[in-house]
Amino acid sequence: MNADVRPTGPALPTGRGDLSYGVVRALRGRPGSRTPLPPTGTADAADPYGEDLHLALYLCYELHYRGFCGVDPAWEWDPALLAVRADLERRFLDALRADTKRRTDVREALADLLVEPPDGTSTSHYLKDEGELWHLREYAAQRSVYHLKEADPHAWVIPRLRGRAKAAMAAAEFDEFGGGRAERMHSRLFADLMTDLGLDTTYGRYVDVATGEMLASVNLMSMFGLHRALRGALVGHFAAAEAVSAPTSRRLAEAMRRTEAGEAAVHFYVVHVAGDVAHERLVGHDVVGGLLEDEPWLETDVAFGIDATGVLEARLADKLLPAWRDGLSGLRTPL
Protein backbone atom coordinates (compact mmCIF):
# COMPACT_ATOMS: atom_id res chain seq x y z
CA MET A 1 0.00 0.00 0.00
CA ASN A 2 1.20 3.51 -0.82
CA ALA A 3 2.56 5.16 2.33
CA ASP A 4 0.17 8.08 1.62
CA VAL A 5 -2.86 5.79 1.64
CA ARG A 6 -4.56 5.49 5.01
CA PRO A 7 -6.89 2.63 6.04
CA THR A 8 -9.81 5.00 6.61
CA GLY A 9 -13.13 5.59 4.90
CA PRO A 10 -15.81 3.16 3.78
CA ALA A 11 -14.93 -0.14 2.17
CA LEU A 12 -15.17 -0.42 -1.60
CA PRO A 13 -18.56 -1.88 -2.53
CA THR A 14 -19.00 -4.97 -4.69
CA GLY A 15 -19.32 -4.36 -8.41
CA ARG A 16 -22.60 -4.97 -10.23
CA GLY A 17 -21.47 -5.29 -13.85
CA ASP A 18 -18.61 -4.62 -16.25
CA LEU A 19 -18.48 -0.87 -15.57
CA SER A 20 -18.53 -0.96 -11.78
CA TYR A 21 -16.35 -4.09 -11.53
CA GLY A 22 -13.82 -2.36 -13.77
CA VAL A 23 -13.73 0.77 -11.61
CA VAL A 24 -13.49 -1.27 -8.37
CA ARG A 25 -10.59 -3.32 -9.78
CA ALA A 26 -8.73 -0.19 -10.81
CA LEU A 27 -9.24 1.57 -7.47
CA ARG A 28 -7.63 -1.36 -5.67
CA GLY A 29 -4.37 -0.53 -7.45
CA ARG A 30 -2.34 2.60 -8.04
CA PRO A 31 -3.21 5.33 -10.55
CA GLY A 32 -1.29 4.62 -13.73
CA SER A 33 -1.04 0.89 -12.98
CA ARG A 34 -1.71 -1.74 -15.62
CA THR A 35 -5.14 -2.63 -14.25
CA PRO A 36 -7.41 -1.51 -17.11
CA LEU A 37 -10.36 0.78 -16.59
CA PRO A 38 -13.53 0.23 -18.65
CA PRO A 39 -12.63 1.30 -22.21
CA THR A 40 -13.96 4.50 -23.70
CA GLY A 41 -17.46 4.07 -25.04
CA THR A 42 -18.41 1.16 -22.76
CA ALA A 43 -21.09 3.31 -21.11
CA ASP A 44 -22.85 3.82 -24.45
CA ALA A 45 -24.44 0.37 -24.24
CA ALA A 46 -25.30 0.58 -20.52
CA ASP A 47 -28.73 1.29 -19.03
CA PRO A 48 -28.47 5.01 -18.21
CA TYR A 49 -30.48 4.42 -15.03
CA GLY A 50 -29.07 0.98 -14.27
CA GLU A 51 -27.27 -0.30 -11.20
CA ASP A 52 -23.96 -0.95 -12.96
CA LEU A 53 -23.59 2.53 -14.43
CA HIS A 54 -24.70 4.28 -11.25
CA LEU A 55 -22.48 2.30 -8.93
CA ALA A 56 -19.53 3.07 -11.22
CA LEU A 57 -20.46 6.76 -11.22
CA TYR A 58 -20.97 6.75 -7.45
CA LEU A 59 -17.47 5.31 -7.02
CA CYS A 60 -16.00 8.11 -9.15
CA TYR A 61 -17.88 10.81 -7.25
CA GLU A 62 -17.18 9.45 -3.79
CA LEU A 63 -13.49 10.12 -4.37
CA HIS A 64 -14.41 13.82 -4.07
CA TYR A 65 -16.04 13.23 -0.66
CA ARG A 66 -14.50 10.77 1.81
CA GLY A 67 -12.90 8.31 -0.57
CA PHE A 68 -12.56 4.61 0.26
CA CYS A 69 -10.48 2.63 2.72
CA GLY A 70 -7.11 1.78 1.19
CA VAL A 71 -7.76 3.67 -2.07
CA ASP A 72 -5.02 6.04 -3.18
CA PRO A 73 -6.37 9.63 -2.96
CA ALA A 74 -4.52 10.43 -6.21
CA TRP A 75 -7.36 8.62 -8.03
CA GLU A 76 -9.53 11.70 -7.43
CA TRP A 77 -7.91 13.56 -10.33
CA ASP A 78 -6.58 10.66 -12.40
CA PRO A 79 -7.09 11.60 -16.08
CA ALA A 80 -8.03 8.08 -17.17
CA LEU A 81 -10.66 7.73 -14.45
CA LEU A 82 -12.01 11.20 -15.20
CA ALA A 83 -12.43 10.12 -18.83
CA VAL A 84 -14.47 7.11 -17.68
CA ARG A 85 -16.54 9.39 -15.44
CA ALA A 86 -17.21 11.73 -18.35
CA ASP A 87 -18.58 8.80 -20.40
CA LEU A 88 -20.86 7.75 -17.54
CA GLU A 89 -22.08 11.30 -16.98
CA ARG A 90 -22.80 11.86 -20.66
CA ARG A 91 -24.89 8.68 -20.86
CA PHE A 92 -26.84 9.62 -17.71
CA LEU A 93 -27.31 13.28 -18.60
CA ASP A 94 -28.45 12.54 -22.17
CA ALA A 95 -31.12 10.17 -20.83
CA LEU A 96 -32.29 12.71 -18.25
CA ARG A 97 -32.60 15.44 -20.85
CA ALA A 98 -34.59 13.11 -23.09
CA ASP A 99 -36.92 12.00 -20.28
CA THR A 100 -37.49 15.36 -18.58
CA LYS A 101 -40.00 18.04 -19.55
CA ARG A 102 -38.40 20.85 -21.52
CA ARG A 103 -39.64 23.84 -19.58
CA THR A 104 -38.33 27.37 -19.53
CA ASP A 105 -40.46 28.70 -16.66
CA VAL A 106 -39.12 28.01 -13.18
CA ARG A 107 -42.28 29.24 -11.49
CA GLU A 108 -44.33 26.70 -13.43
CA ALA A 109 -41.95 23.88 -12.52
CA LEU A 110 -42.02 24.80 -8.82
CA ALA A 111 -45.79 25.32 -8.80
CA ASP A 112 -46.32 21.71 -9.88
CA LEU A 113 -44.37 20.52 -6.84
CA LEU A 114 -46.51 22.55 -4.44
CA VAL A 115 -49.78 20.89 -5.47
CA GLU A 116 -50.56 18.07 -3.05
CA PRO A 117 -52.68 15.42 -4.82
CA PRO A 118 -55.75 14.31 -2.81
CA ASP A 119 -54.81 10.64 -3.30
CA GLY A 120 -51.06 10.85 -2.74
CA THR A 121 -49.15 7.83 -4.02
CA SER A 122 -45.62 8.81 -3.05
CA THR A 123 -43.31 6.73 -0.87
CA SER A 124 -43.90 9.04 2.08
CA HIS A 125 -47.70 8.71 1.72
CA TYR A 126 -47.36 4.92 1.79
CA LEU A 127 -45.09 4.99 4.83
CA LYS A 128 -47.43 7.35 6.69
CA ASP A 129 -50.55 5.31 6.03
CA GLU A 130 -49.43 1.70 5.70
CA GLY A 131 -45.73 1.46 6.44
CA GLU A 132 -44.43 -0.99 9.01
CA LEU A 133 -41.22 -0.64 10.97
CA TRP A 134 -39.30 -2.83 8.53
CA HIS A 135 -40.33 -0.53 5.67
CA LEU A 136 -38.97 2.45 7.58
CA ARG A 137 -35.71 0.64 8.28
CA GLU A 138 -35.30 -0.13 4.58
CA TYR A 139 -36.16 3.43 3.64
CA ALA A 140 -33.60 4.82 6.09
CA ALA A 141 -30.92 2.39 4.89
CA GLN A 142 -31.48 3.54 1.30
CA ARG A 143 -31.55 7.24 2.18
CA SER A 144 -28.42 6.95 4.31
CA VAL A 145 -26.40 6.92 1.09
CA TYR A 146 -27.26 10.63 0.92
CA HIS A 147 -28.32 11.69 4.40
CA LEU A 148 -25.05 10.71 6.07
CA LYS A 149 -23.44 13.41 3.93
CA GLU A 150 -26.48 15.67 3.81
CA ALA A 151 -25.80 19.11 2.31
CA ASP A 152 -22.32 18.20 1.05
CA PRO A 153 -23.26 17.91 -2.66
CA HIS A 154 -25.08 21.24 -2.57
CA ALA A 155 -22.06 23.00 -1.05
CA TRP A 156 -20.20 22.64 -4.37
CA VAL A 157 -22.38 25.35 -5.91
CA ILE A 158 -21.59 28.11 -3.39
CA PRO A 159 -18.34 29.33 -5.05
CA ARG A 160 -20.17 29.30 -8.39
CA LEU A 161 -22.77 31.82 -7.27
CA ARG A 162 -22.47 35.47 -6.38
CA GLY A 163 -24.28 38.20 -4.50
CA ARG A 164 -27.76 37.46 -3.17
CA ALA A 165 -27.80 33.87 -4.43
CA LYS A 166 -24.46 33.02 -2.78
CA ALA A 167 -25.37 34.61 0.56
CA ALA A 168 -28.74 32.84 0.70
CA MET A 169 -27.29 29.48 -0.32
CA ALA A 170 -24.62 29.79 2.37
CA ALA A 171 -27.31 30.63 4.93
CA ALA A 172 -29.38 27.57 4.00
CA GLU A 173 -26.30 25.33 4.09
CA PHE A 174 -25.30 26.76 7.49
CA ASP A 175 -28.60 25.46 8.86
CA GLU A 176 -28.05 22.06 7.22
CA PHE A 177 -24.65 21.87 8.91
CA GLY A 178 -26.20 22.48 12.32
CA GLY A 179 -25.58 26.20 12.61
CA GLY A 180 -22.01 25.49 13.62
CA ARG A 181 -22.96 22.78 16.17
CA ALA A 182 -21.72 19.31 15.26
CA GLU A 183 -24.47 17.58 17.24
CA ARG A 184 -27.11 19.47 15.25
CA MET A 185 -25.76 18.69 11.79
CA HIS A 186 -28.48 17.00 9.78
CA SER A 187 -26.12 14.15 8.93
CA ARG A 188 -25.64 13.57 12.66
CA LEU A 189 -29.39 13.74 13.30
CA PHE A 190 -29.90 11.12 10.60
CA ALA A 191 -27.32 8.89 12.23
CA ASP A 192 -29.31 9.21 15.46
CA LEU A 193 -32.44 8.21 13.53
CA MET A 194 -30.61 5.15 12.23
CA THR A 195 -29.58 4.20 15.75
CA ASP A 196 -33.24 4.29 16.83
CA LEU A 197 -34.04 1.96 13.94
CA GLY A 198 -31.26 -0.47 14.84
CA LEU A 199 -29.20 0.35 11.74
CA ASP A 200 -25.43 0.65 11.37
CA THR A 201 -24.46 4.33 11.18
CA THR A 202 -21.14 3.71 9.42
CA TYR A 203 -20.78 6.02 6.43
CA GLY A 204 -21.35 4.07 3.21
CA ARG A 205 -22.48 0.94 5.06
CA TYR A 206 -25.61 0.42 2.93
CA VAL A 207 -24.28 1.23 -0.53
CA ASP A 208 -24.15 -2.47 -1.38
CA VAL A 209 -27.87 -2.93 -0.69
CA ALA A 210 -29.05 0.40 -2.13
CA THR A 211 -30.86 0.21 -5.44
CA GLY A 212 -29.64 1.76 -8.66
CA GLU A 213 -32.54 4.21 -8.40
CA MET A 214 -31.23 5.48 -5.06
CA LEU A 215 -27.68 5.76 -6.36
CA ALA A 216 -28.98 7.71 -9.37
CA SER A 217 -30.67 10.25 -7.07
CA VAL A 218 -27.44 10.78 -5.14
CA ASN A 219 -25.36 10.91 -8.32
CA LEU A 220 -27.64 13.60 -9.71
CA MET A 221 -26.64 15.97 -6.90
CA SER A 222 -22.95 15.24 -7.31
CA MET A 223 -23.04 15.60 -11.09
CA PHE A 224 -24.83 18.94 -10.88
CA GLY A 225 -22.59 20.13 -8.07
CA LEU A 226 -19.25 19.16 -9.60
CA HIS A 227 -19.84 20.91 -12.93
CA ARG A 228 -19.92 24.68 -13.05
CA ALA A 229 -21.87 24.41 -16.31
CA LEU A 230 -24.67 22.68 -14.36
CA ARG A 231 -24.87 25.22 -11.51
CA GLY A 232 -28.36 26.23 -12.59
CA ALA A 233 -29.52 22.62 -12.49
CA LEU A 234 -28.06 22.20 -8.99
CA VAL A 235 -29.96 25.28 -7.79
CA GLY A 236 -33.09 23.79 -9.34
CA HIS A 237 -32.50 20.49 -7.60
CA PHE A 238 -32.03 22.24 -4.26
CA ALA A 239 -35.19 24.30 -4.78
CA ALA A 240 -37.17 21.15 -5.61
CA ALA A 241 -35.87 19.34 -2.54
CA GLU A 242 -36.76 22.24 -0.25
CA ALA A 243 -40.20 22.72 -1.84
CA VAL A 244 -41.34 19.19 -1.01
CA SER A 245 -39.33 18.67 2.17
CA ALA A 246 -41.80 20.04 4.73
CA PRO A 247 -44.88 18.01 3.68
CA THR A 248 -42.79 14.91 3.03
CA SER A 249 -41.07 15.22 6.40
CA ARG A 250 -44.42 15.74 8.14
CA ARG A 251 -45.68 12.45 6.72
CA LEU A 252 -42.49 10.62 7.66
CA ALA A 253 -42.59 12.01 11.21
CA GLU A 254 -46.13 10.63 11.50
CA ALA A 255 -44.93 7.25 10.22
CA MET A 256 -42.14 7.18 12.79
CA ARG A 257 -44.56 8.06 15.61
CA ARG A 258 -47.15 5.51 14.52
CA THR A 259 -44.61 2.69 14.41
CA GLU A 260 -42.92 3.85 17.64
CA ALA A 261 -39.60 4.06 15.83
CA GLY A 262 -38.02 6.23 18.51
CA GLU A 263 -37.59 9.82 19.61
CA ALA A 264 -34.56 10.55 17.43
CA ALA A 265 -36.28 9.00 14.41
CA VAL A 266 -39.20 11.39 14.83
CA HIS A 267 -36.94 14.35 15.64
CA PHE A 268 -35.02 14.19 12.36
CA TYR A 269 -38.17 14.81 10.36
CA VAL A 270 -39.68 17.31 12.81
CA VAL A 271 -36.56 19.43 12.38
CA HIS A 272 -37.08 19.39 8.62
CA VAL A 273 -40.76 20.31 8.86
CA ALA A 274 -39.92 23.46 10.79
CA GLY A 275 -36.71 24.44 9.06
CA ASP A 276 -37.55 23.71 5.46
CA VAL A 277 -40.63 25.94 5.36
CA ALA A 278 -38.26 28.85 5.92
CA HIS A 279 -35.71 27.36 3.53
CA GLU A 280 -38.32 27.06 0.79
CA ARG A 281 -38.91 30.81 0.88
CA LEU A 282 -35.21 31.59 1.17
CA VAL A 283 -34.22 29.31 -1.69
CA GLY A 284 -37.09 30.30 -3.96
CA HIS A 285 -36.80 34.04 -3.44
CA ASP A 286 -33.08 34.57 -2.91
CA VAL A 287 -31.13 31.59 -4.29
CA VAL A 288 -33.23 31.02 -7.42
CA GLY A 289 -34.28 34.65 -7.68
CA GLY A 290 -30.76 35.95 -7.13
CA LEU A 291 -29.23 33.52 -9.63
CA LEU A 292 -31.74 34.40 -12.35
CA GLU A 293 -31.36 38.10 -11.65
CA ASP A 294 -27.62 37.73 -12.31
CA GLU A 295 -27.81 35.07 -15.03
CA PRO A 296 -31.33 34.97 -16.53
CA TRP A 297 -30.15 32.66 -19.31
CA LEU A 298 -29.92 29.85 -16.73
CA GLU A 299 -33.69 29.61 -16.19
CA THR A 300 -34.02 26.60 -18.48
CA ASP A 301 -31.26 24.84 -16.51
CA VAL A 302 -32.96 25.60 -13.18
CA ALA A 303 -36.24 24.18 -14.52
CA PHE A 304 -34.37 21.12 -15.77
CA GLY A 305 -32.88 20.55 -12.31
CA ILE A 306 -36.33 20.73 -10.74
CA ASP A 307 -37.91 18.32 -13.20
CA ALA A 308 -34.98 15.86 -13.30
CA THR A 309 -35.25 15.55 -9.53
CA GLY A 310 -38.90 14.57 -9.91
CA VAL A 311 -38.11 12.00 -12.60
CA LEU A 312 -35.62 10.18 -10.37
CA GLU A 313 -37.76 10.33 -7.23
CA ALA A 314 -40.63 8.81 -9.23
CA ARG A 315 -38.35 6.02 -10.44
CA LEU A 316 -37.34 5.26 -6.86
CA ALA A 317 -40.98 5.13 -5.75
CA ASP A 318 -41.79 2.83 -8.67
CA LYS A 319 -39.05 0.49 -7.46
CA LEU A 320 -39.95 0.46 -3.76
CA LEU A 321 -43.74 0.56 -3.62
CA PRO A 322 -44.62 -2.53 -5.71
CA ALA A 323 -42.13 -4.61 -3.72
CA TRP A 324 -43.43 -3.38 -0.36
CA ARG A 325 -47.04 -3.94 -1.35
CA ASP A 326 -46.16 -7.53 -2.18
CA GLY A 327 -44.43 -7.96 1.19
CA LEU A 328 -40.99 -8.01 -0.42
CA SER A 329 -37.81 -6.09 0.33
CA GLY A 330 -37.16 -2.94 -1.69
CA LEU A 331 -33.42 -3.35 -1.22
CA ARG A 332 -31.07 -5.40 -3.37
CA THR A 333 -30.80 -7.80 -0.42
CA PRO A 334 -32.94 -7.61 2.72
CA LEU A 335 -31.46 -6.13 5.89
Side-chain angles (χ1 to χ4, degrees):
M1 183 185 293
N2 182 346
D4 293 331
V5 178
R6 300 291 185 265
T8 60
L12 278 168
T14 303
R16 304 184 189 182
D18 291 344
L19 289 167
S20 52
Y21 273 121
V23 174
V24 169
R25 276 197 308 269
L27 293 181
R28 288 189 177 126
R30 296 283 300 279
S33 68
R34 295 186 178 183
T35 303
L37 283 157
T40 301
T42 305
D44 292 346
D47 179 351
Y49 301 114
E51 292 193 349
D52 185 29
L53 184 146
H54 280 285
L55 179 58
L57 192 52
Y58 176 88
L59 290 164
C60 293
Y61 286 149
E62 196 58 32
L63 297 170
H64 298 291
Y65 295 103
R66 301 193 193 182
F68 296 97
C69 181
V71 170
D72 192 325
W75 275 113
E76 181 179 5
W77 299 110
D78 180 75
L81 184 60
L82 290 175
V84 170
R85 195 187 93 182
D87 274 354
L88 301 170
E89 289 174 328
R90 176 179 45 77
R91 178 70 170 143
F92 181 33
L93 190 56
D94 285 351
L96 277 174
R97 292 197 186 281
D99 294 339
T100 299
K101 296 177 183 178
R102 299 191 176 191
R103 296 202 263 201
T104 58
D105 190 326
V106 166
R107 288 174 298 180
E108 177 189 334
L110 283 173
D112 283 355
L113 294 178
L114 299 176
V115 177
E116 280 279 289
D119 55 344
T121 57
S122 71
T123 306
S124 63
H125 282 94
Y126 177 86
L127 291 172
K128 177 180 76 74
D129 297 331
E130 304 177 52
E132 300 176 24
L133 193 58
W134 71 271
H135 295 127
L136 294 169
R137 296 183 75 246
E138 287 203 347
Y139 184 76
Q142 290 256 30
R143 290 292 186 185
S144 71
V145 179
Y146 165 63
H147 279 306
L148 289 180
K149 64 181 175 195
E150 185 169 348
D152 289 353
H154 299 124
W156 295 112
V157 83
I158 293 175
R160 290 155 184 184
L161 303 175
R162 60 179 183 262
R164 182 158 61 100
K166 180 192 283 273
M169 189 72 192
E173 287 284 275
F174 185 64
D175 288 346
E176 302 283 344
F177 289 124
R181 299 279 297 277
E183 71 275 11
R184 295 181 182 174
M185 290 175 63
H186 287 188
S187 56
R188 171 65 182 273
L189 297 181
F190 194 80
D192 294 340
L193 171 150
M194 294 177 73
T195 298
D196 268 1
L197 293 173
L199 297 171
D200 188 338
T201 64
T202 303
Y203 182 89
R205 165 66 177 80
Y206 294 105
V207 170
D208 269 330
V209 301
T211 62
E213 289 80 4
M214 185 67 240
L215 294 178
S217 290
V218 178
N219 286 340
L220 183 77
M221 304 178 214
S222 296
M223 180 174 67
F224 287 168
L226 286 166
H227 290 272
R228 182 178 176 275
L230 295 172
R231 63 194 179 281
L234 191 281
V235 166
H237 169 82
F238 191 56
E242 296 298 326
V244 302
S245 180
T248 298
S249 295
R250 188 176 295 110
R251 288 189 287 270
L252 292 170
E254 291 182 29
M256 295 293 178
R257 287 192 192 97
R258 182 176 56 77
T259 57
E260 299 182 341
E263 184 178 340
V266 174
H267 180 66
F268 175 80
Y269 291 111
V270 169
V271 166
H272 282 73
V273 171
D276 289 344
V277 170
H279 280 186
E280 180 193 337
R281 293 192 293 268
L282 177 69
V283 173
H285 183 268
D286 290 318
V287 180
V288 175
L291 174 67
L292 297 183
E293 185 179 85
D294 287 339
E295 302 180 275
W297 54 86
L298 291 179
E299 183 159 13
T300 299
D301 288 353
V302 177
F304 168 64
I306 294 168
D307 290 328
T309 302
V311 166
L312 294 186
E313 284 299 312
R315 289 183 63 85
L316 180 60
D318 289 344
K319 175 73 172 183
L320 297 180
L321 294 179
W324 286 348
R325 288 180 179 130
D326 288 341
L328 303 174
S329 172
L331 300 172
R332 294 184 70 244
T333 56
L335 295 174

